[in-house]
Amino acid sequence: MKMTLAKALNAGLRRAMEDDPKVVLMGEDIGRLGGVFRITDGLQKDFGEARVVDTPLAESGIVGTAVGLALRGYRPVVEIQFDGFVYPAYDQIVSQVAKFHYRSGGRVAMPMVVRIPFGGGIGAVEHHSESPEAQFAHTPGLKVVACSDPLDAYWMIQQAIAHPDPVIFLEPKRLYHSTKAEVDVDAAPAPLFESRVVRAGTDVTVLAYGPTVKTALTAAEAAAGEGKSLEVIDLRTLSPLDMAPVFESVRRTGRAVVVHEAQVNLGLGAEVAARVAEQCFHSLEAPVLRVGGFDTPYPPARAEEFFLPDLDRVLDAVDRSLAW
Amino acid sequence: MTEFLTPSPSHPDMVQLLNPEGERVSHPDYEFSPDRPEDEAVRGFYRDMVLTRRLDVEATALQRHGELGLWAQLLGQEAAQIGAARALAPQDFVFPTYREHGVAWCRDVDPMQLLGLFRGTDQGGWDPAEHNFGLYTIVIGAQTLHATGYAMGVQMDGLVGTGDPTRDTAVVAHFGDGASSQGDVNEAMVFAATYNAPVVFFCQNNQWAISEPVDQMVKVPLYKRAQGFGFPGVRVDGNDVLATYEVMKAALKRAHEGGGPTMIEAFTYRMGAHTTTDDPTRYRVSDEVEAWKLKDPIARVEAYLRRGGGASSSFFSKVEAEADELGERLRAGIHALPEPDPVALFDNVYSELPPELREQRDGYAAYHASFDLEGASR
Ligand SMILES: Cc1ncc(C[n+]2csc(CCOP(=O)(O)OP(=O)(O)O)c2C)c(N)n1
């Protein structure tokens, strides 16, 4: 069946709830309304108000009570309405969710998923377009993943829910309704914590995740027209990073460009570049280049096209890498 | 719990001075006593509300035409906002949410600047100090803490209880019924009570937080929360501009005189969608909307003025003409709003641009210039 990313996530959540009665969804407007992006559409109707919980408008409260539910044996799946509203819950996530397992000497599990629609490109007002992934990837005890296509998202959300550790689950909001793909609900899923090559190539390795996977693929298409062959890897898992396929690729191409929407300074690209430099030093023909948001706050909507890495900026980096 | 959604018109705990039929009613604690002749004051309220509504209607239409990315509608909340704002002394300071277009109007913020924010050409172009009106705050509830801190500062500056009405200063924190759940709002109230800060918590209970009805989250009437924090709470008919004005005036007076915080719950209704991206038919019934239409805040003032002869028909047509003019100005102005310059992304991140960011900016400027050159040579 062909599904949008939004529908695929909805179907994945539905299946996870069918499979495990302990799965409970919580968040603002997720019940009656089905969430502001409709990711939980119809779930409250079918699973009831006790399993699809419209919460008070309090992010610290949502995540903090989810901690308690997890301690009681439930598997809470929390929806944060927009990336910029996760910060009121930040303390609960980094100080509590991330550390329970460690503090309890492994006695207490924290099987929680925090779903965050992230990234820009939808013309929104401030606080609705941010990319907070590095803040969570920097926190030991959390796992961070980002989906980028419907089939993958369908499985990833179920795997994240079934996983025993807390997972920050990033959903590229501008792809929710703009990407459609075949979703085979019987196919065997790829493992959750692995990156994967989404387009094979020989000249430059382009690394992306979430919303920039599409940008990278479009860039690869355009570059092919100019006789340049780009290999595109969807990182998928940001913490832990799965670098083996990346190293393998870069050893072949000798060049890497990392693309993300988040600010470049201390962003995920910095970590990726450092690891590639350490492991592939002798194969590199050029330094690892990073394309991302500038080190400014996310700008007003009519300037976001300047801030976001687009096709041209990816191709520009590819050219710089090749010209080295 | 029925008192949340269907309070009786003469609810003893809800201050009302002008009923939905446009008749003056009395209340033991509050009396309409404006600072100018009554009819003149009411005409002023009427004009403010009509123009604010026009701003809202035009902005909604502009969003529909793709000129604004988003608009947060205030339809139905005009009286709550105009009543609250017209009670302010010039030196009082307001911390708004994202829906306080009527308050912005009264604080002389150019409506074009509100449109700029929602168009996405800037993130709030006015100077808070010039208007004593803060920037719109989108993260729910955050501004209530800022208001409380500002009020603590006012008190430290010795500007409460001076006895001089031109110096005594109060601060207003706006927020919604949904926001009352946030930690920040509750912490703001704790601080306000602890330091006896001259702040008025003005909650517009418009019954809905996007799709969530107030009675789902709040189990006692909102104004009663205040008591738990240690200061008074009052519920006012938020569709009654006279009552809102008086209740606000009393709370501001208390703050000015050093009496400390007050919470006001303005009982009102969001007639439109939460924002232009919201579809309220998914979660609320039209009967409810129809019932609230009968309590329209503007219609009752008009009825009052017409019936009592407080305004001539030429007054109404003059206000209408003014509203048309405003609409015209907004439609014409929208394209005159300056488009952001790519290199301006780097402005105002810091007061002094660090060398690294300067390099990023210059590199980006050069990158852009290279496109311009290509274009020119073609
Ligand atoms: C911290 C935070 N969480 C979520 C949101 C998304 N959001 C915007 S408005 C809103 C509902 C607010 O309801 P209420 O406080 O009643 O004010 P109203 O919009 O009805 O005036 C929500 C959930 C936000 N802006 N900030």
Side-chain angles (χ1 to χ4, degrees), chain B residues 261-282:
Chain B
T262 303
M263 174 179 169
I264 297 172
E265 174 191 358
F267 199 84
T268 180
Y269 192 73
R270 189 193 83 207
M271 294 297 298
H274 170 71
T275 65
T276 44
T277 58
D278 176 42
D279 172 12
T281 61
R282 289 180 68 104

Side-chain angles (χ1 to χ4, degrees), chain A residues 47-131:
Chain A
F47 294 96
E49 290 181 13
R51 289 191 68 198
V52 181
V53 184
D54 264 332
T55 63
L57 220 153
E59 287 74 11
S60 179
I62 298 169
V63 174
T65 54
V67 166
L69 279 162
L71 293 172
R72 185 67 198 174
Y74 286 88
R75 287 184 174 269
V77 181
V78 162
E79 174 174 302
I80 299 292
Q81 203 158 73
F82 279 91
D83 34 58
F85 309 141
V86 71
Y87 301 109
Y90 190 68
D91 170 51
Q92 284 292 336
I93 296 174
V94 303
S95 309
Q96 305 299 329
V97 174
K99 296 188 170 72
F100 252 97
H101 193 64
Y102 195 68
R103 281 166 61 207
S104 67
R107 286 173 193 89
V108 172
M110 194 49 60
M112 183 191 302
V113 175
V114 181
R115 296 180 34 239
I116 309 178
F118 84 125
I122 61 163
V125 289
E126 58 179 346
H127 312 296
H128 288 73
S129 304
E130 301 183 7
S131 303

Side-chain angles (χ1 to χ4, degrees), chain A residues 27-34 36 38 41-42 53-60 81 84-85 88 123-128 264-265 293-307 310 312-314 316, chain B residues 66-70 117-123 136-140 178-179 181-183 208-213 216-217 277-279 282-284 339-343 345-346 349-350 356-357 360 364 367-368 371:
Chain A
E28 296 159 8
D29 301 295
I30 69 166
R32 210 184 306 217
L33 186 65
V36 291
R38 312 285 187 258
D41 201 14
V53 184
D54 264 332
T55 63
L57 220 153
E59 287 74 11
S60 179
Q81 203 158 73
F85 309 141
V125 289
E126 58 179 346
H127 312 296
H128 288 73
V264 164
N265 185 38
F294 299 107
D295 295 315
T296 71
Y298 197 88
R302 289 180 94 86
E304 69 180 343
E305 59 171 308
F306 305 129
F307 179 91
D310 60 2
D312 286 329
R313 276 170 64 203
V314 175
D316 178 65
Chain B
E67 300 292 355
L68 303 180
L70 182 84
L117 173 65
F118 287 98
R119 183 172 169 82
T121 56
D122 62 47
Q123 286 176 334
Y136 273 12
T137 308
I138 288 176
V139 179
I140 301 289
S181 297
Q182 285 285 352
W208 292 91
I210 310 189
S211 72
E212 304 191 355
Q216 184 179 313
M217 296 187 267
T277 58
D278 176 42
D279 172 12
R282 289 180 68 104
Y283 54 80
R284 70 182 185 189
E339 284 299 317
D341 165 9
V343 183
L345 284 183
F346 300 90
V349 182
Y350 305 101
E356 270 188 355
L357 200 56
Q360 232 177 67
Y364 190 50
Y367 170 78
H368 258 276
F371 283 99

